[in-house]
Amino acid sequence: MEIITTVAEMKARVAAWKAEGLTIGLTPTMGALHEGHMSLMEAARSACDRVVTSVFVNPLQFGPDEDYDNYPRDLERDAGIAESKGVDVVFHPNVEEMYPENYNTYVVMETLTDTLCGASRPGHFRGVCTVVNKLFNIVQPDKAFFGQKDAQQLAVIRRMVRDLNMNVQVVGCPIVREEDGLAKSSRNTYLSAEERTAALVLSRAVAEGQRLMEAGERSAATVLDAMKQLIEAEPLARIDYVEMVSWDGIKPV
Ligand code: AMP
């Protein structure tokens, strides 16, 4: 496995693969890899001839009060994990390589990014769309793999690819969870033991919503109320949003 840090070298590697007629799978990440990321690498490995995992903590998608400076970074560990999953190249550019001086072009999506996470993280999806667009141009993947954990991100990227006629197939992969239900996340390490226990209220609420619907409940408001009540009963939890939306347009149903 190779670690490539420059755009020029990554593009040269991609050109050589394309000349051989090989297909390319891309799994974009911010590093601090865990089993969620590994599942994307496995999906890419089994679907494509060559697999590129990007590890880039993208400053553009962090708000001024977010955790950009403290986000966990450990390239050696990440490279070991990627290698164990059969990844061919870890693409690890630095910030100047991706956004050189005088960088001035951004990809901005309307409406779809104003709700849910987008409402409380202004600029977040502008950063995501811009970096994913750049990664697609650099790596030119046939398929790109994203987790359903970031459901709005997946919907936004699918829409961007469709709107801009990009030549890549976006593959959504299931959420990988801890045994007790918590979705795996690089940010789970920020939680104290008490918060880690409290966080389980999220997967419990989702399971409760699912249970109600499977039992025949058809009022979104009733399901959402039950989920909110469950979360509000946990003193450490503060609700940002609980919504039931269509997959495509992210509109309330
Ligand atoms: P991140 O490094 O957090 O930006 O995530 C990189 C990719 O991994 C995104 O497509 C995420 O949706 C995906 N991902 C992160 N955590 C999980 C998980 N627990 N299960 C499945 N995919 C995940």
Side-chain angles (χ1 to χ4, degrees), residues 28-31 34 36-37 40 71 146-147 149-150 153 174-176 184:
T29 81
M30 297 205 299
H34 51 67
H37 302 111
L40 307 184
Y71 198 83
F146 294 87
K149 178 174 80 75
D150 302 276
Q153 170 174 278
I175 303 175
V176 177
K184 300 226 181 210

Side-chain angles (χ1 to χ4, degrees), residues 190-247:
Y190 298 161
L191 301 173
S192 67
E194 202 187 352
E195 289 164 342
R196 171 69 183 74
T197 305
L200 289 175
V201 77
L202 296 178
S203 50
R204 278 212 312 276
V206 173
E208 176 61 7
Q210 184 171 2
R211 189 192 67 76
L212 285 169
M213 286 188 290
E214 282 169 1
E217 180 56 61
R218 285 296 171 268
S219 157
T222 304
V223 174
L224 292 174
D225 279 349
M227 293 173 71
K228 282 180 195 163
Q229 267 181 36
L230 218 152
I231 297 170
E232 277 161 357
E234 168 50 62
L236 289 181
R238 185 180 48 78
I239 291 180
D240 186 356
Y241 63 82
V242 184
E243 301 279 357
M244 197 182 302
V245 295
S246 61
W247 185 231

Side-chain angles (χ1 to χ4, degrees), residues 11-241:
K11 282 187 159 184
R13 187 70 74 263
V14 164
W17 287 338
K18 297 256 173 199
E20 284 185 69
L22 300 170
T23 59
I24 302 173
L26 171 66
T27 62
T29 81
M30 297 205 299
L33 302 178
H34 51 67
E35 285 83 351
H37 302 111
M38 290 185 218
S39 73
L40 307 184
M41 295 173 194
E42 284 166 10
R45 182 68 282 163
S46 61
C48 303
D49 298 322
R50 293 290 179 268
V51 177
V52 177
T53 292
S54 57
V55 173
F56 180 62
V57 184
N58 175 31
L60 224 57
Q61 70 190 69
F62 287 77
D65 299 325
E66 293 184 16
D67 57 345
Y68 176 70
D69 289 335
N70 302 326
Y71 198 83
R73 293 164 170 89
D74 187 344
L75 183 66
E76 211 175 306
R77 182 182 164 278
D78 290 344
I81 289 173
E83 184 157 32
S84 77
K85 289 288 145 191
V87 167
D88 296 288
V89 168
V90 168
F91 179 48
H92 180 60
N94 64 21
V95 174
E96 292 69 37
E97 184 71 10
M98 289 296 269
Y99 306 115
E101 215 185 330
N102 298 326
Y103 185 88
N104 207 17
T105 304
Y106 302 89
V107 179
V108 180
M109 183 176 295
E110 311 208 335
T111 51
L112 226 59
T113 59
D114 295 341
T115 57
L116 312 186
C117 292
S120 54
R121 302 183 74 184
H124 172 67
F125 285 112
R126 170 180 176 268
V128 168
C129 287
T130 301
V131 78
V132 169
N133 210 311
K134 285 173 67 74
L135 289 170
F136 284 177
N137 285 332
I138 296 163
V139 178
Q140 297 175 49
D142 297 271
K143 296 182 183 197
F145 299 80
F146 294 87
Q148 289 171 358
K149 178 174 80 75
D150 302 276
Q152 185 177 17
Q153 170 174 278
L154 178 56
V156 163
I157 287 166
R158 279 193 203 286
R159 175 63 68 87
M160 177 179 78
V161 163
R162 207 162 53 220
D163 285 352
L164 299 181
N165 311 104
M166 301 169 97
N167 284 325
V168 55
Q169 186 187 335
V170 175
V171 182
C173 300
I175 303 175
V176 177
R177 295 180 178 278
E178 305 284 354
E179 253 171 45
D180 60 7
L182 186 69
K184 300 226 181 210
S185 165
S186 308
R187 290 184 165 109
N188 287 350
T189 56
Y190 298 161
L191 301 173
S192 67
E194 202 187 352
E195 289 164 342
R196 171 69 183 74
T197 305
L200 289 175
V201 77
L202 296 178
S203 50
R204 278 212 312 276
V206 173
E208 176 61 7
Q210 184 171 2
R211 189 192 67 76
L212 285 169
M213 286 188 290
E214 282 169 1
E217 180 56 61
R218 285 296 171 268
S219 157
T222 304
V223 174
L224 292 174
D225 279 349
M227 293 173 71
K228 282 180 195 163
Q229 267 181 36
L230 218 152
I231 297 170
E232 277 161 357
E234 168 50 62
L236 289 181
R238 185 180 48 78
I239 291 180
D240 186 356
Y241 63 82

